[in-house]
Short mmCIF file of all heavy atoms in Angstrom, two decimals:
data_model
loop_
_atom_site.label_atom_id
_atom_site.label_comp_id
_atom_site.label_asym_id
_atom_site.label_seq_id
_atom_site.Cartn_x
_atom_site.Cartn_y
_atom_site.Cartn_z
N TYR X 298 -29.92 -16.25 -0.91
CA TYR X 298 -29.49 -17.63 -1.41
C TYR X 298 -30.55 -18.67 -1.09
O TYR X 298 -30.89 -19.66 -1.91
CB TYR X 298 -28.12 -17.95 -0.90
CG TYR X 298 -26.96 -17.34 -1.72
CD1 TYR X 298 -26.33 -16.24 -1.26
CD2 TYR X 298 -26.70 -17.92 -2.98
CE1 TYR X 298 -25.34 -15.63 -2.08
CE2 TYR X 298 -25.68 -17.38 -3.71
CZ TYR X 298 -24.99 -16.21 -3.38
OH TYR X 298 -24.04 -15.71 -4.12
N ALA X 303 -30.57 -14.74 -5.08
CA ALA X 303 -29.35 -14.02 -5.04
C ALA X 303 -28.85 -13.69 -6.43
O ALA X 303 -28.94 -14.51 -7.31
CB ALA X 303 -28.21 -14.85 -4.42
N PRO X 304 -28.37 -12.50 -6.73
CA PRO X 304 -27.86 -12.09 -8.11
C PRO X 304 -26.57 -12.87 -8.40
O PRO X 304 -25.88 -13.37 -7.49
CB PRO X 304 -27.57 -10.51 -8.00
CG PRO X 304 -28.10 -10.12 -6.70
CD PRO X 304 -28.29 -11.32 -5.76
N LEU X 306 -22.77 -13.64 -9.26
CA LEU X 306 -21.64 -12.94 -8.46
C LEU X 306 -21.17 -11.73 -9.20
O LEU X 306 -20.86 -10.62 -8.63
CB LEU X 306 -20.45 -13.86 -8.35
CG LEU X 306 -20.59 -15.06 -7.43
CD1 LEU X 306 -19.37 -15.87 -7.38
CD2 LEU X 306 -20.80 -14.47 -5.94
N GLN X 309 -23.27 -8.63 -8.30
CA GLN X 309 -23.37 -8.20 -6.96
C GLN X 309 -22.50 -6.89 -6.72
O GLN X 309 -21.36 -6.80 -7.25
CB GLN X 309 -23.00 -9.29 -6.03
CG GLN X 309 -24.09 -10.50 -6.08
CD GLN X 309 -23.65 -11.55 -5.01
OE1 GLN X 309 -22.95 -11.27 -4.08
NE2 GLN X 309 -24.09 -12.79 -5.28
N LEU X 314 -21.25 -8.85 -2.16
CA LEU X 314 -20.13 -9.88 -2.27
C LEU X 314 -19.58 -10.09 -0.87
O LEU X 314 -19.17 -11.49 -0.56
CB LEU X 314 -18.98 -9.43 -3.21
CG LEU X 314 -19.33 -9.41 -4.70
CD1 LEU X 314 -18.29 -8.68 -5.55
CD2 LEU X 314 -19.40 -10.84 -5.20
N THR X 317 -21.95 -12.37 0.72
CA THR X 317 -21.86 -13.76 0.18
C THR X 317 -20.73 -14.60 0.64
O THR X 317 -20.79 -15.76 1.00
CB THR X 317 -21.83 -13.58 -1.35
OG1 THR X 317 -23.06 -13.11 -1.88
CG2 THR X 317 -21.63 -14.97 -2.01
N LEU X 318 -19.55 -13.88 0.72
CA LEU X 318 -18.33 -14.46 1.27
C LEU X 318 -18.57 -15.03 2.63
O LEU X 318 -18.17 -16.12 3.04
CB LEU X 318 -17.18 -13.52 1.14
CG LEU X 318 -15.72 -14.16 1.59
CD1 LEU X 318 -15.41 -15.40 0.66
CD2 LEU X 318 -14.78 -13.18 1.49
N VAL X 320 -21.37 -15.77 4.14
CA VAL X 320 -22.28 -16.90 4.18
C VAL X 320 -21.59 -18.16 3.68
O VAL X 320 -21.81 -19.30 4.34
CB VAL X 320 -23.51 -16.59 3.29
CG1 VAL X 320 -24.45 -17.84 3.16
CG2 VAL X 320 -24.30 -15.46 3.80
N VAL X 321 -20.82 -18.10 2.60
CA VAL X 321 -20.07 -19.27 2.15
C VAL X 321 -19.14 -19.80 3.33
O VAL X 321 -18.99 -20.96 3.50
CB VAL X 321 -19.33 -18.86 0.88
CG1 VAL X 321 -18.26 -20.07 0.46
CG2 VAL X 321 -20.31 -18.68 -0.25
N GLN X 322 -18.37 -18.84 3.94
CA GLN X 322 -17.45 -19.25 5.11
C GLN X 322 -18.24 -19.90 6.23
O GLN X 322 -17.67 -20.70 6.92
CB GLN X 322 -16.68 -18.00 5.46
CG GLN X 322 -15.76 -17.60 4.40
CD GLN X 322 -15.10 -16.23 4.73
OE1 GLN X 322 -15.57 -15.53 5.50
NE2 GLN X 322 -13.93 -15.89 4.14
N MET X 325 -19.31 -23.53 4.81
CA MET X 325 -18.30 -24.42 4.25
C MET X 325 -17.90 -25.53 5.38
O MET X 325 -17.86 -26.76 4.93
CB MET X 325 -17.01 -23.64 3.94
CG MET X 325 -16.02 -24.36 3.08
SD MET X 325 -14.79 -23.16 2.23
CE MET X 325 -14.52 -22.02 3.55
N VAL X 339 -30.29 -25.28 -3.35
CA VAL X 339 -29.60 -24.17 -2.90
C VAL X 339 -28.15 -24.36 -3.08
O VAL X 339 -27.37 -25.08 -2.25
CB VAL X 339 -29.93 -24.03 -1.40
CG1 VAL X 339 -29.18 -22.75 -0.94
CG2 VAL X 339 -31.36 -23.88 -1.15
N LEU X 340 -27.54 -23.85 -4.18
CA LEU X 340 -26.09 -23.99 -4.50
C LEU X 340 -25.37 -22.69 -4.27
O LEU X 340 -25.77 -21.65 -4.72
CB LEU X 340 -25.95 -24.39 -5.93
CG LEU X 340 -26.65 -25.70 -6.40
CD1 LEU X 340 -26.60 -25.99 -7.86
CD2 LEU X 340 -26.05 -26.92 -5.57
N LEU X 341 -24.32 -22.88 -3.47
CA LEU X 341 -23.42 -21.63 -3.16
C LEU X 341 -22.22 -21.65 -3.95
O LEU X 341 -21.65 -22.78 -4.29
CB LEU X 341 -23.19 -21.64 -1.69
CG LEU X 341 -24.31 -21.48 -0.72
CD1 LEU X 341 -23.80 -21.75 0.66
CD2 LEU X 341 -24.94 -20.05 -0.80
N PRO X 342 -21.70 -20.47 -4.32
CA PRO X 342 -20.40 -20.49 -4.96
C PRO X 342 -19.33 -20.88 -4.02
O PRO X 342 -19.56 -20.85 -2.80
CB PRO X 342 -20.16 -19.03 -5.37
CG PRO X 342 -21.06 -18.14 -4.40
CD PRO X 342 -22.26 -19.16 -3.97
N THR X 343 -18.15 -21.29 -4.48
CA THR X 343 -17.04 -21.46 -3.66
C THR X 343 -16.40 -20.23 -3.04
O THR X 343 -16.55 -19.17 -3.63
CB THR X 343 -15.94 -22.29 -4.41
OG1 THR X 343 -15.39 -21.48 -5.41
CG2 THR X 343 -16.54 -23.61 -5.06
N ALA X 344 -15.68 -20.42 -1.96
CA ALA X 344 -15.00 -19.20 -1.36
C ALA X 344 -14.00 -18.65 -2.43
O ALA X 344 -13.83 -17.42 -2.49
CB ALA X 344 -14.25 -19.72 -0.15
N GLU X 345 -13.36 -19.48 -3.19
CA GLU X 345 -12.43 -19.07 -4.14
C GLU X 345 -13.01 -18.23 -5.24
O GLU X 345 -12.61 -17.21 -5.65
CB GLU X 345 -11.62 -20.26 -4.78
CG GLU X 345 -10.60 -19.91 -5.87
CD GLU X 345 -9.79 -20.98 -6.46
OE1 GLU X 345 -10.39 -22.18 -6.30
OE2 GLU X 345 -8.88 -20.83 -7.23
N GLU X 346 -14.28 -18.72 -5.79
CA GLU X 346 -15.02 -17.91 -6.74
C GLU X 346 -15.35 -16.59 -6.22
O GLU X 346 -15.28 -15.54 -6.88
CB GLU X 346 -16.26 -18.75 -7.15
CG GLU X 346 -15.94 -20.00 -8.00
CD GLU X 346 -17.20 -20.85 -8.20
OE1 GLU X 346 -18.01 -20.75 -7.40
OE2 GLU X 346 -17.15 -21.59 -9.09
N VAL X 347 -15.89 -16.59 -4.94
CA VAL X 347 -16.31 -15.26 -4.34
C VAL X 347 -15.06 -14.44 -4.21
O VAL X 347 -15.06 -13.22 -4.50
CB VAL X 347 -16.98 -15.51 -3.10
CG1 VAL X 347 -17.47 -14.07 -2.44
CG2 VAL X 347 -18.20 -16.31 -3.20
N GLY X 348 -13.88 -14.97 -3.68
CA GLY X 348 -12.77 -14.14 -3.43
C GLY X 348 -12.22 -13.52 -4.77
O GLY X 348 -11.80 -12.34 -4.75
N THR X 350 -13.97 -12.82 -7.36
CA THR X 350 -14.95 -11.75 -7.77
C THR X 350 -14.73 -10.55 -6.93
O THR X 350 -14.86 -9.42 -7.45
CB THR X 350 -16.43 -12.24 -7.67
OG1 THR X 350 -16.51 -13.56 -8.33
CG2 THR X 350 -17.39 -11.26 -8.31
#
Side-chain angles (χ1 to χ4, degrees):
Y298 276 102
L306 287 180
Q309 292 184 24
L314 285 168
T317 295
L318 183 60
V320 173
V321 169
Q322 290 169 339
M325 198 161 40
V339 180
L340 301 175
L341 294 169
T343 66
E345 182 180 8
E346 289 171 337
V347 182
T350 308

